[in-house]
């Protein structure tokens, strides 16, 4: 198939039909009426605004999300905003429940749509925001008279990025947000131009639609927020996801096919298949399993990654040569590190200074001459050497003895203190019952 025919087929799938658009518009109108009625009973003024992809006409067919914001005066205190915002939210969604981002808000279902009713401040300038959600209405307003000519191309781009796993600005995915995708397609003038450019991307990349950026950033992809000259819209986007987007853009360009717009689900590995993979790899895996802390994903995953880095760093410093690592979370959470070295000698060599460097050399000699070491002795290069008994000869010994000495996320540390399990070697196969899909992705990764 040609590139154009593939895009046409995908566009036909992802652009909502007239009945879906009408259902959305009807639901939004009914929700806005409920919100207006609730606002009328408040002692303060407020207004509602539809934001996000549904407001900008870039939502995909089958997506059932509505983001309704309730804008209050910046003169209100935070407690008042939250109280009145929840009052409106519960009036709009009587069967909804409260969740928390930077403000508590109400989430629920209405006519088959997933609805978020979110309070924010009606600031006059995006540079004056009091919380991140205050910025969202400015994004919607900025794109209001710009996005229509490329709206369907944005939909195709979102389908592509979703299928390759790089769409989503949550701290688990670290990918492209909806707003970033819209800005990139708008920057290039369409989906084909976006792909044609992405095949030759060389990070770091910088875009500044309004030419007003006042800061430099170290991120692999920089898109200066057109409503805030000091913000990078792409700040959360990881180097890996930028690179994966380049890879799949080249794949699509070289061999256009609809399958690249369709997310594939990996078949989970069984415990036996995990054992077979471990036999083939002949590595030394170690995993720590514990109950997942009760925090939102955007708090959980940074803490899991910090904790994983702490364990991996300790294994690296001890000489176990970690090859790769990953973290998973469901009811349980797992920190997995696969080491190249499963057992080290009972002794470890420790190099001292050259004997000719008198002050340091004498200090080293005094420190170790009466210790539990072999040496000090002098090597062929004229340096003092000692051979010390190694504290931990296996990854298991090291993790068990130093787990709480490494840098851990606070909620992860509390969960580990409550209870945890260390799995070594083929014991890791027991994780397949809960994380078979994640282990399939780990052992047989795609670009």
């Amino acid at each position: 198939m040609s590139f154009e025919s593939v895009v046409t087929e995908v566009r036909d799938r992802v652009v909502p039909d007239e009945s879906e658009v009408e259902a959305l518009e009807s639901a939004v109108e009914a929700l806005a009426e409920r919100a207006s009625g609730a606002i009328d009973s408040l002692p303060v003024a407020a207004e509602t605004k539809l934001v996000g992809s549904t407001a900008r006409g870039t939502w995909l067919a089958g997506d059932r999300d509505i983001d309704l914001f309730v804008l209050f005066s910046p003169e209100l205190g935070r407690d008042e905003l939250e109280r009145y915002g929840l009052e409106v939210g519960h009036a709009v969604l009587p069967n909804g429940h409260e969740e928390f981002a930077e403000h508590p808000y109400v989430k629920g279902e209405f006519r088959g749509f997933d609805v978020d009713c979110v309070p924010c401040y009606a600031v006059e300038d995006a540079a004056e925001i009091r919380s991140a959600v205050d910025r969202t209405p400015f994004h919607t307003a900025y794109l209001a008279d710009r996005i229509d000519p490329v709206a369907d191309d944005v939909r195709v781009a979102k389908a592509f990025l979703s299928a390759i796993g790089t769409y989503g600005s949550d701290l688990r995915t670290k990918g492209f947000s909806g707003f970033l995708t819209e800005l990139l397609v708008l920057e290039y003038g369409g989906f084909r131009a976006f792909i044609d450019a992405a095949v030759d991307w060389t990070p770091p990349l910088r875009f500044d639609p309004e030419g007003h950026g006042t800061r430099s950033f170290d991120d692999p992809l920089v898109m200066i927020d057109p409503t805030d000259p000091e913000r990078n819209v792409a700040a959360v986007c990881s180097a890996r996801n930028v690179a994966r987007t380049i890879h799949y853009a080249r794949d699509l360009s070289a061999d256009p096919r609809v399958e690249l717009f369709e997310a594939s689900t990996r078949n989970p590995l069984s415990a036996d298949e995990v054992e077979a993979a471990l036999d083939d790899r002949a590595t030394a895996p170690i995993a720590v399993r514990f109950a997942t802390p009760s925090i939102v994903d955007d708090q959980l995953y940074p803490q899991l990654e910090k904790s994983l880095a702490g364990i991996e760093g300790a294994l690296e410093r001890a000489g176990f040569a970690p090859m790769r690592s990953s973290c998973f979370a469901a009811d349980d959470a797992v920190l997995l590190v696969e080491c190249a070295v499963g057992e080290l000698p009972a002794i470890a060599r420790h190099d001292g200074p050259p004997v000719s460097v008198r002050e340091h050399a004498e200090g080293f000699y005094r420190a170790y001459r009466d210790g539990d070491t072999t040496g000090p002795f002098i090597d062929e290069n004229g340096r003092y050497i000692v051979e010390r008994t190694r504290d931990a000869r296996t990854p298991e010994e090291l993790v068990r003895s130093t787990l709480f000495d490494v840098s851990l996320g606070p909620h992860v540390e509390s969960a580990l203190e409550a209870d945890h399990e260390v799995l070594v070697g083929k014991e890791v196969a027991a994780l397949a019952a809960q994380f078979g899909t994640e282990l399939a992705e780990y052992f047989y990764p795609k670009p």
Side-chain angles (χ1 to χ4, degrees):
M1 296 178 71
S2 69
F3 191 101
E4 289 72 20
S5 61
V6 168
V7 171
T8 297
E9 183 174 335
V10 173
R11 184 181 291 115
D12 289 343
R13 296 182 185 182
V14 300
V15 176
D17 60 26
E18 186 176 343
S19 64
E20 195 171 353
V21 173
E22 289 176 352
L24 172 73
E25 291 175 345
S26 175
V28 169
E29 183 178 356
L31 290 166
E33 288 179 2
R34 288 186 180 183
S36 295
I39 290 170
D40 288 343
S41 66
L42 297 178
V44 297
E47 62 176 337
T48 59
K49 182 170 290 188
L50 181 67
V51 300
S53 61
T54 51
R56 302 193 283 262
T58 59
W59 53 291
L60 275 61
D63 282 358
R64 311 293 289 177
D65 297 323
I66 294 175
D67 295 317
L68 187 67
F69 275 37
V70 186
L71 286 71
F72 292 91
S73 168
E75 295 179 1
L76 282 184
R78 191 182 184 94
D79 289 344
E80 290 179 299
L81 175 126
E82 293 177 355
R83 183 171 71 254
Y84 295 139
L86 289 175
E87 189 173 328
V88 174
H90 284 299
V92 171
L93 299 164
N95 297 318
H97 63 278
E98 294 180 15
E99 293 197 1
F100 188 88
E102 286 203 48
H103 297 303
Y105 65 97
V106 178
K107 187 179 188 71
E109 185 177 333
F110 180 75
R111 297 182 186 175
F113 290 92
D114 293 322
V115 183
D116 290 350
C117 189
V118 181
C120 72
Y121 285 109
V123 294
E124 294 186 3
D125 189 287
E128 301 173 356
I129 63 168
R130 307 265 291 275
S131 70
V133 293
D134 299 346
R135 185 182 285 113
T136 305
F138 289 95
H139 293 168
T140 298
Y142 178 80
L143 291 174
D145 58 356
R146 293 177 170 87
I147 202 68
D148 279 354
V150 295
D152 289 350
D153 285 66
V154 168
R155 289 179 163 116
V156 174
K158 287 182 177 181
F160 174 70
L161 296 173
S162 295
I164 66 175
T166 65
Y167 185 74
S169 60
D170 58 278
L171 295 181
R172 178 181 185 180
T173 306
K174 296 182 182 177
F176 292 70
S177 68
F179 187 49
L180 174 59
T181 306
E182 290 160 348
L183 290 175
L184 284 168
V185 174
L186 186 62
E187 174 81 17
Y188 288 115
F191 176 70
R192 177 62 186 266
F194 165 59
I195 293 298
D196 287 346
V199 298
D200 290 319
W201 273 359
T202 304
L205 302 151
R206 183 180 175 92
F207 302 90
D208 189 354
E210 293 300 299
H212 68 170
T214 57
R215 285 185 56 193
S216 60
F217 297 89
D218 294 328
D219 304 307
L221 174 59
V222 176
M223 173 67 75
I224 301 299
D225 193 324
T227 72
D228 185 347
E230 296 190 349
R231 177 176 182 264
N232 177 17
V233 175
V236 75
C237 200
S238 68
R240 178 172 183 264
N241 277 329
V242 174
R244 294 183 71 239
T245 300
I246 296 170
H247 169 86
Y248 284 105
R250 290 173 182 166
D251 193 1
L252 178 63
S253 183
D255 181 17
R257 57 198 189 279
V258 173
E259 289 76 16
L260 283 176
F261 295 83
E262 299 169 345
S264 59
T265 303
R266 302 295 293 271
N267 292 324
L269 295 183
S270 67
D272 288 344
E273 289 170 326
V274 173
E275 284 197 23
L278 292 171
D279 279 338
D280 290 341
R281 296 169 73 84
T283 54
I286 184 165
V288 181
R289 176 165 59 182
F290 54 98
T292 301
S294 298
I295 51 178
V296 298
D297 280 358
D298 273 1
Q299 292 178 302
L300 173 64
Y301 279 90
Q303 291 196 33
L304 290 177
E305 290 168 3
K306 176 180 180 179
S307 304
L308 181 63
I311 294 172
E312 189 172 8
L315 289 164
E316 177 69 38
R317 290 188 296 274
F320 295 107
M323 297 175 58
R324 198 142 55 88
S325 64
S326 190
C327 55
F328 318 132
D331 290 339
D332 289 335
V334 172
L335 306 173
L336 169 67
V337 183
E338 189 179 13
C339 297
V341 177
E343 186 173 6
L344 291 166
I347 60 169
R349 172 179 168 134
H350 178 51
D351 291 357
V355 175
S356 59
V357 183
R358 180 172 182 174
E359 181 178 354
H360 294 295
E362 289 181 342
F364 183 87
Y365 186 80
R366 286 194 301 271
Y368 287 102
R369 66 184 175 185
D370 297 323
D372 183 18
T373 63
T374 300
F377 58 89
I378 300 170
D379 72 359
E380 63 277 7
N381 296 313
R383 306 181 72 98
Y384 279 127
I385 303 295
V386 295
E387 293 170 346
R388 299 183 295 186
T389 301
R390 194 181 297 275
D391 292 331
R393 296 186 61 186
T394 65
E396 179 182 8
E397 290 175 1
L398 182 82
V399 169
R400 289 189 183 280
S401 63
T402 67
L403 180 58
F404 294 100
D405 296 328
V406 306
S407 181
L408 301 169
H411 291 88
V412 170
E413 184 170 8
S414 296
L416 289 168
E417 287 172 343
D419 191 24
H420 67 272
E421 178 184 16
V422 177
L423 303 173
V424 181
K426 290 187 177 181
E427 293 174 352
V428 169
L431 299 174
Q434 193 171 10
F435 298 107
T437 300
E438 289 84 352
L439 289 169
E441 293 170 349
Y442 179 85
F443 288 116
Y444 306 105
K446 294 181 179 179

